[in-house]
Amino acid sequence: MNKEELIAKLKPIIAPYIQDEESFKNLTEDTDFVNDLKINSANLVDIILDIEDAFDIRLENEDMEQMLDVKSAMNIVTQKLQG
Amino acid sequence: MVGNDIVDIALAQQQSNWKRPRYLDKIFTQKEQDLILQSDLPEIKLWQLWSMKEAAYKLYTQINPCRFFNPKAFECTFSNGAEVTYDTFTCAVKTETTSNYIMSEARLKQDEMLSSVIEFEASSVSTQSEFLKDCLLSEVAHYFQTDRKQLNFVKQAYGIPTIEYNDKMINVSLAHHGQYGTIAFSR
């Protein structure tokens, strides 16, 4: 899966939890879940669970630690898929 | 220093399905999960523990500037009053629960609560956060008996909020969720 495909797969997972439409429209690797998309921190857990389900992977607490932006989410998913 | 957090109970019920598989296990230690599930009001207990963790995280990152997401590593304990422990860090936490919101405040030592709670009229998140910042600046100006123009709201590294006043840096904490916000500053 290349970067564009990965972002395309992540976008609908993130969509239900965003509170800033404008940032979501312009989503890039550098988009921050909390600062840009204004996602409630309790919903970060939902995103993590949704990612686990969508990619059939399991994320440990250490993996979650940096899951605060699109780039980190992509890195962790890529690692797990290769793992 | 002070860290705080607030949960709008009605909104949390809408936004989060805590009964989904693995949800509790991602956020709470086994002991915390037992506390939640044995409680008469499991959902209220859950958001109480969550807000305690968030408040403690905000206090911790004021002392050790950094940014991460690991709520499970911040463990709530109640044997010595309400406390949250993360690694070697421990803080005292007070919680105010009403039928509408749950607000927690973390301090290094047990102390009187500094946080005030604000109910929003506007519904846009960005308007709310501006309003909240405004209320905080007013409170700080009033406390120091100065003009608001002398105060600068500055986000330090890792987004940690502060107010600069003369050559002082005042630690502050703000949180908002749904119709409620909370603000506090060190004094």
Side-chain angles (χ1 to χ4, degrees):
Chain A
M1 202 178 314
N2 67 31
K3 276 186 181 177
E4 285 71 32
E5 289 169 333
L6 191 49
I7 291 191
K9 199 163 174 188
L10 285 172
K11 262 193 119 169
I13 296 177
I14 302 164
Y17 308 108
I18 60 139
Q19 295 193 79
D20 191 314
E21 298 284 347
E22 212 44 48
S23 299
F24 186 65
K25 268 188 223 153
N26 305 315
L27 185 129
T28 68
E29 279 184 59
D30 295 317
T31 303
D32 191 284
F33 289 147
V34 180
N35 296 336
D36 299 322
L37 300 174
K38 308 280 184 276
I39 292 170
N40 183 280
S41 44
N43 285 138
L44 284 178
V45 179
D46 289 293
I47 292 181
I48 287 159
L49 292 171
D50 291 343
I51 287 177
E52 288 188 339
D53 292 339
F55 294 92
D56 196 21
I57 54 177
R58 286 293 176 265
L59 303 172
E60 306 303 322
N61 284 320
E62 303 76 59
D63 301 321
M64 282 167 51
E65 280 220 340
Q66 296 310 317
M67 281 271 257
L68 290 159
D69 52 53
V70 173
K71 195 186 282 167
S72 313
M74 289 169 68
N75 287 341
I76 291 156
V77 170
T78 309
Q79 269 175 35
K80 289 280 162 181
L81 289 176
Q82 285 166 352
Chain B
M1 291 191 202
V2 54
N4 62 10
D5 189 53
I6 195 157
V7 174
D8 179 327
I9 296 170
L11 185 64
Q13 280 169 343
Q14 262 176 50
Q15 276 183 335
S16 297
N17 170 19
W18 63 276
K19 290 183 176 164
R20 68 180 291 191
R22 313 193 305 282
Y23 188 86
L24 286 182
D25 200 46
K26 282 272 186 264
I27 311 176
F28 300 103
T29 64
Q30 192 54 53
K31 277 186 193 164
E32 291 171 336
Q33 292 180 47
D34 293 345
L35 269 178
I36 292 167
L37 296 171
Q38 287 159 14
S39 162
D40 291 337
L41 298 166
E43 198 165 6
I44 299 295
K45 180 56 91 180
L46 183 161
W47 295 119
Q48 182 203 336
L49 298 185
W50 168 263
S51 66
M52 287 174 67
K53 286 167 185 269
E54 288 274 291
Y57 167 81
K58 287 187 188 170
L59 180 61
Y60 176 81
T61 53
Q62 283 169 29
I63 299 163
N64 306 280
C66 60
R67 188 167 178 243
F68 60 98
F69 183 68
N70 192 352
K72 196 170 180 173
F74 284 78
E75 184 165 30
C76 305
T77 57
F78 296 91
S79 52
N80 189 21
E83 289 183 326
V84 175
T85 301
Y86 170 71
D87 199 8
T88 58
F89 169 83
T90 298
C91 59
V93 183
K94 280 197 165 70
T95 300
E96 183 180 296
T97 304
T98 71
S99 51
N100 298 317
Y101 65 80
I102 300 167
M103 185 268 284
S104 287
E105 177 183 295
R107 305 287 297 278
L108 288 173
K109 292 202 173 79
Q110 285 289 353
D111 213 330
E112 58 171 315
M113 192 101 111
L114 296 175
S115 299
S116 12
V117 172
I118 285 142
E119 186 172 354
F120 298 120
E121 280 165 22
S123 60
S124 120
V125 175
S126 56
T127 315
Q128 288 174 352
S129 75
E130 279 312 305
F131 181 68
L132 202 58
K133 215 185 288 178
D134 246 35
C135 294
L136 177 65
L137 284 164
S138 298
E139 274 198 13
V140 174
H142 184 254
Y143 181 80
F144 288 100
Q145 297 191 317
T146 184
D147 193 276
R148 274 189 44 171
K149 295 192 183 77
Q150 304 300 314
L151 306 174
N152 270 321
F153 182 86
V154 181
K155 284 208 169 170
Q156 307 290 341
Y158 304 103
I160 293 160
T162 58
I163 288 177
E164 292 177 350
Y165 168 47
N166 291 337
D167 45 8
K168 267 200 286 254
M169 195 182 87
I170 303 162
N171 281 103
V172 303
S173 186
L174 309 92
H176 71 263
H177 185 229
Q179 286 311 107
Y180 299 94
T182 182
I183 49 177
F185 63 97
S186 297
R187 46 198 93 175

